[in-house]
């Protein structure tokens, strides 16, 4: 198509000004706008190119070569360098914010996350969500919305399935928007027993120097506690990274909004929790996941306190279980389940010396246990990963 383009005339000075047709689009849903069984097909899709994937892996300090080196990943049986699972998770969650949680008071937890097949540079990700349950505690109290989200690639294949719980108030007279209604007839290929689809994995011999020798499956035993020695100070970089993931909640980048909130979430914009999550896994990667072949998933994950720009996050990992998988995945490997604890503004060594085993109890269980919550603790989650055996 070709069309001749000509300059257009300035019209603003000649156009009468009227104030009767003012549009103030409002996004997000209050509690009463959710219904069990609703299905939301989220707007926007993200193509993850190679530079975006590698920048995420390096910014969030992940040292696993699968996310950094195409030859390494290909030698292990993948068709290309992998996009970090935490980047996939962050994009899927963030795309859904406009429908799911842009009016949320807090994200309460992550559950049953399962990464089901590889995502490669050039793949395009989209997301859709189903409302599983709503707990309404009355008009004057926040309720809880339990959702399941699927992340799909450009072929409609599910690459990630997870659940989360979101704390949301009733509107109570606040202006509401006009969100898209439930897309009840849309496909939602969820499964209570999803199938992991990996290529035929290989064990190359020429890449042994790409990782250190202390992070193979045999190096891990239940009961071990890894106190990761480095921290990561978060700067205002979190503002652009929030939107780079597609997260539209103003709490994370709009100071006028965040300072208008009372309580512990008010004040400086809060660092989007998915970014904190990714930094913690990155801080742990040299000790835990350098020789990981696959992030099998995570569950029982909670942000127990917010972070803001200038906070320094640190991390501790406890090994819970190891399972020899033989050659079930094609090469000699095993599964390791671990508990990841995130902290802020305290060295991990000092936190462990001060709090010891109390770090590993869930913060929400502390009251009934007669224990005080730990103010420096910001995150807790369990993850399960596949790690190759020693050559």
């Amino acid at each position: 198509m070709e069309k001749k383009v000509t300059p257009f005339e300035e019209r603003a000075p000649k156009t009468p000004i009227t104030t009767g047709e003012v549009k103030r689009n409002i996004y997000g849903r209050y509690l009463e706008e959710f219904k069990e069984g609703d299905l939301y097909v989220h707007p926007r899709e993200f193509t993850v190119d190679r530079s975006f994937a590698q920048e995420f892996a390096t910014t969030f300090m992940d040292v696993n070569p699968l996310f950094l080196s195409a030859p390494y990943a290909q030698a292990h049986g993948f068709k290309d360098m992998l996009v970090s699972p935490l980047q996939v998770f962050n994009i899927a969650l963030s795309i859904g914010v406009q429908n799911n949680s842009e009016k949320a008071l807090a994200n309460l937890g992550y559950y049953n996350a399962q990464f089901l097949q590889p995502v490669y540079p050039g793949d395009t990700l989209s997301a859709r969500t189903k409302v599983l349950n709503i707990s309404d505690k009355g008009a004057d109290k926040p309720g809880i919305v339990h959702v399941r989200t699927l992340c799909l690639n450009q072929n409609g294949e599910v690459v990630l399935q997870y659940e989360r719980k979101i704390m949301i108030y009733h509107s109570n007279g606040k202006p509401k928007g006009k969100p898209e209604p439930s897309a009840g007839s849309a496909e939602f290929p969820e499964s209570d027993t999803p199938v992991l689809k990996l290529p035929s994995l290989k064990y190359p011999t020429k890449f042994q120097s790409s990782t250190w020798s202390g992070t193979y499956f045999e190096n891990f035993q239940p009961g071990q506690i890894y106190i990761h020695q480095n921290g990561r100070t978060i700067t205002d970089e979190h503002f652009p990274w929030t939107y780079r993931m597609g997260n539209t909640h103003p709490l994370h980048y709009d100071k006028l909004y965040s300072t208008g909130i009372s309580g512990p979430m008010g004040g400086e914009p809060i660092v989007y929790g998915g970014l904190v999550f990714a930094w913690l896994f990155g801080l742990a990667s040299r000790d835990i996941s350098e020789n990981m072949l696959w992030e099998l998933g995570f569950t029982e994950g909670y942000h127990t306190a917010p972070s803001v720009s200038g906070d320094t996050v640190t991390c501790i990992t406890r090994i819970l279980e190891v399972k020899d998988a033989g050659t079930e995945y094609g090469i000699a490997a095993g599964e390791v389940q671990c508990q990841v604890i995130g902290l802020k503004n305290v060295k991990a060594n000092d936190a462990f010396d001060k709090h010891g085993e109390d770090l590993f109890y869930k913060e929400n269980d502390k009251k009934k246990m007669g224990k005080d919550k730990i103010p420096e603790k910001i995150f807790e989650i369990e993850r399960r990963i596949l790690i190759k055996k020693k050559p």
Side-chain angles (χ1 to χ4, degrees):
M1 188 278 285
E2 292 186 5
K3 184 178 184 298
K4 194 172 187 179
V5 178
T6 57
F8 61 88
E9 180 185 355
E10 181 187 18
R11 294 194 177 276
K14 301 175 184 178
T15 301
I17 300 170
T18 62
T19 58
E21 287 292 329
V22 177
K23 305 291 186 182
R24 294 182 174 91
N25 289 339
I26 298 172
Y27 298 96
R29 283 178 164 85
Y30 289 104
L31 188 69
E32 70 267 25
E33 297 178 279
F34 291 88
K35 292 182 177 62
E36 287 188 20
D38 275 0
L39 174 59
Y40 309 132
V41 177
H42 304 306
R44 289 174 287 281
E45 297 180 349
F46 276 46
T47 298
V48 184
D49 65 21
R50 185 173 300 276
S51 62
F52 190 22
Q54 194 162 50
E55 187 181 6
F56 183 93
T58 52
T59 296
F60 292 91
M61 305 175 69
D62 202 312
V63 302
N64 189 310
L66 290 174
F67 314 133
L68 304 169
S69 166
Y72 179 94
Q74 290 164 343
H76 283 78
F78 297 100
K79 72 177 184 181
D80 199 351
M81 181 181 83
L82 295 178
V83 177
S84 162
L86 267 294
Q87 185 172 19
V88 175
F89 172 75
N90 269 288
I91 289 173
L93 189 156
S94 295
I95 289 175
V97 166
Q98 180 171 306
N99 272 317
N100 299 338
S101 58
E102 195 161 329
K103 289 286 186 285
L105 175 65
N107 182 79
L108 294 181
Y110 310 116
Y111 310 90
N112 303 321
Q114 297 151 329
F115 296 92
L116 300 175
Q117 59 179 298
V119 175
Y120 298 107
D123 283 350
T124 298
L125 302 178
S126 61
R128 51 191 61 187
T129 292
K130 185 167 81 172
V131 179
L132 300 180
N133 181 263
I134 300 167
S135 176
D136 189 337
K137 303 177 186 300
D140 60 337
K141 294 181 180 179
I144 298 171
V145 180
H146 184 182
V147 301
R148 173 179 284 169
T149 295
L150 305 181
C151 181
L152 293 83
N153 64 17
Q154 66 275 12
N155 301 315
E157 301 165 320
V158 179
V159 299
L160 164 65
Q161 175 176 294
Y162 75 94
E163 297 172 20
R164 70 179 179 129
K165 292 182 181 179
I166 313 161
M167 181 181 288
I168 306 177
Y169 273 107
H170 285 270
S171 59
N172 289 326
K174 296 185 182 72
K176 294 192 289 187
K178 294 181 179 179
E180 293 290 328
S182 171
S185 61
E187 184 179 3
F188 193 75
E190 63 182 329
S191 174
D192 291 331
T193 55
V195 176
L196 172 61
K197 297 178 182 178
L198 293 179
S200 297
L201 297 180
K202 302 174 184 178
Y203 205 126
T205 57
K206 69 174 186 176
F207 283 95
Q208 292 179 19
S209 62
S210 296
T211 60
W212 278 23
S213 60
T215 56
Y216 290 101
F217 173 73
E218 295 91 336
N219 294 107
F220 298 101
Q221 298 297 326
Q224 292 172 335
I225 295 174
Y226 286 79
I227 303 176
H228 309 299
Q229 294 301 298
N230 290 347
R232 176 60 154 82
T233 301
I234 301 171
T235 70
D236 284 350
E237 67 196 306
H238 77 90
F239 289 104
W241 273 105
T242 294
Y243 233 86
R244 293 193 75 186
M245 294 298 101
N247 192 318
T248 56
H249 199 306
L251 179 65
H252 305 307
Y253 56 82
D254 180 348
K255 192 170 182 178
L256 293 176
Y257 178 93
S258 61
T259 53
I261 297 175
S262 59
M265 303 298 281
E268 292 296 317
I270 301 298
V271 180
Y272 159 46
L275 304 182
V276 175
F277 187 172
W279 269 309
L280 294 172
F281 273 26
L283 289 170
S285 63
R286 284 195 297 181
D287 295 330
I288 303 297
S289 57
E290 188 179 41
N291 277 298
M292 180 183 77
L293 294 165
W294 192 252
E295 185 84 47
L296 293 167
F298 50 80
T299 196
E300 295 297 321
Y302 307 98
H303 295 282
T304 58
S307 298
V308 299
S309 182
D311 283 347
T312 298
V313 296
T314 56
C315 187
I316 296 174
T317 300
R318 180 168 69 114
I319 307 301
L320 303 173
E321 180 184 56
V322 298
K323 177 186 174 184
D324 191 330
T327 56
E328 179 183 348
Y329 292 91
I331 63 174
E335 298 176 7
V336 176
Q337 187 160 332
C338 48
Q339 181 184 23
V340 180
I341 302 298
L343 304 152
K344 68 177 179 181
N345 302 329
V346 61
K347 292 182 178 179
N349 286 319
D350 294 342
F352 183 76
D353 291 343
K354 180 179 179 181
H355 299 289
E357 67 180 38
D358 284 353
L359 286 167
F360 305 102
Y361 296 122
K362 288 182 181 179
E363 291 302 289
N364 283 341
D365 292 343
K366 294 282 180 69
K367 185 176 181 179
K368 65 184 179 184
M369 298 173 70
K371 296 178 178 292
D372 293 329
K373 290 188 176 183
I374 298 173
E376 303 97 333
K377 185 175 170 184
I378 60 172
F379 192 61
E380 55 192 15
I381 203 165
E382 291 190 24
R383 70 189 295 205
R384 196 169 183 90
I385 54 180
L386 179 67
I387 301 177
K388 64 183 178 182
K389 290 186 178 181
K390 291 179 179 178

